Amino acid sequence: MQIDNTNTEMIPNKKVKYSSEFSVQPIRRFDAKFPPYRRPIEIGAFSQDSSRAFQNGRGQLKFYIKPKKSNSVNFDLKRGYNEMIRKDEAKKIYIDDVLRWIMKNEDKFALNQVKPQRQTAHKSRELNTDFICWRGLLTKFLCTPYENKEGWLVSVTKFNNTFYLCEFDTEDKKKQRESMTPRQDEMCCWGWKFEQYLTSDKPDGVPDVESPVNNNEAFATVVRTRLNSHSLVFAGEVDAIDPSLTTSNKYVEFKTSREIDNQRQDNNMKRFKLIKWWAQSFLVGIPKIVCGFRDDDGIVHRLQTYDTLEIPDLVKNIYNPWNPAVCFNFLDELLSFIKESVIEDNAKVAYLFQWHPGQKVVCEKLHENSEYTFLPAWFTDPPEDNE
């Protein structure tokens, strides 16, 4: 592992104490045997209701309703766009709902499955787990060796020997959101409408495409896994469940993509999209991805199903294909770098990790209660439990 520790002067806006660096290039140094990755096991789930409020349970789980003819559908993704009920993108939720789930399910973290005394658990918040985060963050980490456009900004706090990770918007991401055109905004909403065409609240139900889409609503699985020496618990939103699957994990992911017209578009999809689709689903063990191929008017005419485990084979024939082993070896070393860099065990102290394509990952330790401190007091210092 290539780590450079460098003392730095105080930076007024961030009040940095010191920084360290981790090299991403050359990526061939990660080209080795696929590291040990334990099959992710679901240990719980939670939902977010129509107002984005946390629910401990599976209330928002949808069921996949497969069309009779996958090659002959007519889904208008523009339908109801103006009536869509949207979540407040300006409201930062950090990893609060993951923390709420932890507080209601602390027995899941007890060693030897011995349920701790409630007051002791609330007081110590010892999780016996290395990393806690959202799945989307790990997806970005996995794709980093092959990413050439979007960087990332991640805050890490060590609290009671567990590393909590939270993503923040980069300056480029903020500018991109502010400059979004009406057309781009509409296209961003097409994915949620696509889900509505394929799901129902009941396994034998009928999709309701007349009601407004409400993207406050969500269902998330919580899984436990291990990558080499790193134990992880993370949550990831799941689109639906397919009871007809014979696999132990019956979740399914939905995606949309423009219809492919030529070889260049096919290569681009395999190089830039399939890596993200694979990483996202592989992390939590989702076996199937259903893609709706649309035209420029937002009409889906056909569906194609991808087996998550077979996606890496689909990209082998493109020039300089991405390699799943490189992705996971990089993630393994990055997590080690985080462990070595984040030394102080303090809920009020954040370490900021930044990466821009073509550059090194830079870690900066910030002073207490910076703008990147994200663990709430109700989690780190809850009131005494009198029960």
Side-chain angles (χ1 to χ4, degrees):
M1 181 180 302
Q2 299 179 18
I3 300 177
D4 299 320
N5 293 310
T6 307
N7 292 325
T8 64
E9 296 180 358
M10 301 291 282
I11 300 177
N13 292 335
K14 295 180 180 178
K15 299 180 180 178
V16 178
K17 291 185 177 180
Y18 75 87
S19 69
S20 56
E21 297 177 339
F22 171 64
S23 297
V24 178
Q25 301 292 339
I27 64 172
R28 63 176 178 271
R29 67 191 184 88
F30 304 108
D31 190 2
K33 183 179 178 181
F34 200 100
Y37 184 67
R38 183 180 299 170
R39 181 171 66 90
I41 300 297
E42 184 177 62
I43 58 173
F46 62 86
S47 299
Q48 293 160 327
D49 66 15
S50 58
S51 60
R52 205 63 178 179
F54 171 87
Q55 296 176 330
N56 184 36
R58 308 172 74 85
Q60 289 294 335
L61 178 62
K62 305 296 183 182
F63 292 85
Y64 175 40
I65 307 300
K66 187 176 181 179
K68 294 182 180 180
K69 296 182 178 180
S70 296
N71 288 327
S72 180
V73 297
N74 189 40
F75 299 162
D76 185 358
L77 304 183
K78 303 186 304 298
R79 188 175 182 179
Y81 164 67
N82 293 325
E83 289 75 45
M84 179 177 172
I85 302 170
R86 303 176 181 234
K87 61 184 177 183
D88 184 359
E89 297 288 355
K91 183 179 180 182
K92 183 65 177 176
I93 61 172
Y94 304 105
I95 60 169
D96 286 8
D97 281 353
V98 181
L99 304 180
R100 291 185 176 99
W101 181 85
I102 290 173
M103 292 182 70
K104 292 183 176 295
N105 297 272
E106 289 180 300
D107 58 304
K108 303 289 186 180
F109 297 89
L111 293 177
N112 302 320
Q113 299 302 308
V114 176
K115 188 173 182 179
Q117 294 181 5
R118 187 166 181 173
Q119 184 171 348
T120 302
H122 274 236
K123 196 66 178 176
S124 66
R125 198 72 70 196
E126 288 278 2
L127 301 184
N128 308 303
T129 300
D130 293 335
F131 295 96
I132 300 288
C133 62
W134 278 103
R135 182 264 314 270
L137 178 54
L138 297 178
T139 300
K140 286 194 174 183
F141 284 169
L142 283 175
C143 297
T144 295
Y146 299 100
E147 180 59 54
N148 60 8
K149 290 184 178 180
E150 296 184 0
W152 40 257
L153 184 65
V154 176
S155 180
V156 181
T157 291
K158 185 178 182 181
F159 175 60
N160 284 349
N161 295 314
T162 292
F163 300 87
Y164 295 83
L165 283 63
C166 182
E167 184 178 8
F168 283 77
D169 285 341
T170 62
E171 289 302 316
D172 288 342
K173 186 70 173 179
K174 293 176 183 177
K175 292 177 182 178
Q176 180 183 350
R177 184 183 297 116
E178 293 169 357
S179 62
M180 184 176 292
T181 66
R183 167 71 171 176
Q184 291 171 329
D185 179 76
E186 181 181 18
M187 293 177 67
C188 286
C189 297
W190 287 355
W192 286 297
K193 190 64 181 182
F194 179 61
E195 293 177 23
Q196 197 180 55
Y197 274 100
L198 294 176
T199 59
S200 174
D201 294 335
K202 300 178 180 179
D204 56 351
V206 177
D208 175 14
V209 298
E210 300 297 332
S211 299
V213 172
N214 186 340
N215 71 346
N216 285 292
E217 299 173 345
F219 168 82
T221 180
V222 183
V223 303
R224 173 184 286 122
T225 186
R226 175 176 288 274
L227 171 59
N228 220 338
S229 63
H230 311 298
S231 58
L232 303 99
V233 170
F234 51 91
E237 290 190 12
V238 173
D239 293 334
I241 190 170
D242 182 358
S244 69
L245 290 177
T246 58
T247 51
S248 58
N249 186 322
K250 299 181 184 299
Y251 292 136
V252 59
E253 183 71 24
F254 299 134
K255 298 293 183 182
T256 62
S257 186
R258 189 189 181 281
E259 191 62 74
I260 298 173
D261 298 325
N262 53 57
Q263 189 62 49
R264 180 182 62 82
Q265 292 175 355
D266 182 69
N267 289 341
N268 285 339
M269 179 177 179
K270 290 176 178 177
R271 182 178 306 281
F272 301 113
K273 281 194 174 182
L274 288 189
I275 185 175
K276 295 177 181 178
W277 295 6
W278 164 81
Q280 181 185 42
S281 292
F282 186 84
L283 277 167
V284 294
I286 294 177
K288 186 168 73 172
I289 301 168
V290 178
C291 177
F293 283 94
R294 59 163 182 82
D295 58 26
D296 289 334
D297 293 324
I299 307 297
V300 174
H301 296 288
R302 70 179 181 96
L303 307 179
Q304 182 172 337
T305 299
Y306 294 87
D307 185 317
T308 302
L309 296 180
E310 294 178 358
I311 286 179
D313 291 331
L314 299 179
V315 307
K316 287 184 177 179
N317 292 329
I318 67 173
Y319 173 74
N320 194 23
W322 52 269
N323 183 347
V326 168
C327 298
F328 268 87
N329 282 318
F330 170 79
L331 177 60
D332 180 25
E333 290 201 24
L334 179 61
L335 294 179
S336 294
F337 171 62
I338 291 174
K339 283 182 176 178
E340 294 178 17
S341 301
V342 181
I343 305 301
E344 185 173 352
D345 194 308
N346 185 339
K348 298 179 180 180
V349 172
Y351 290 71
L352 196 62
F353 290 77
Q354 301 182 70
W355 176 76
H356 300 283
Q359 301 182 22
K360 296 180 180 180
V361 178
V362 177
C363 167
E364 301 172 336
K365 181 182 179 183
L366 311 183
H367 280 282
E368 289 189 6
N369 299 316
S370 73
E371 61 180 305
Y372 296 102
T373 298
F374 61 91
L375 288 183
W378 51 258
F379 179 78
T380 60
D381 191 23
E384 291 289 341
D385 191 340
N386 295 320
E387 295 182 10

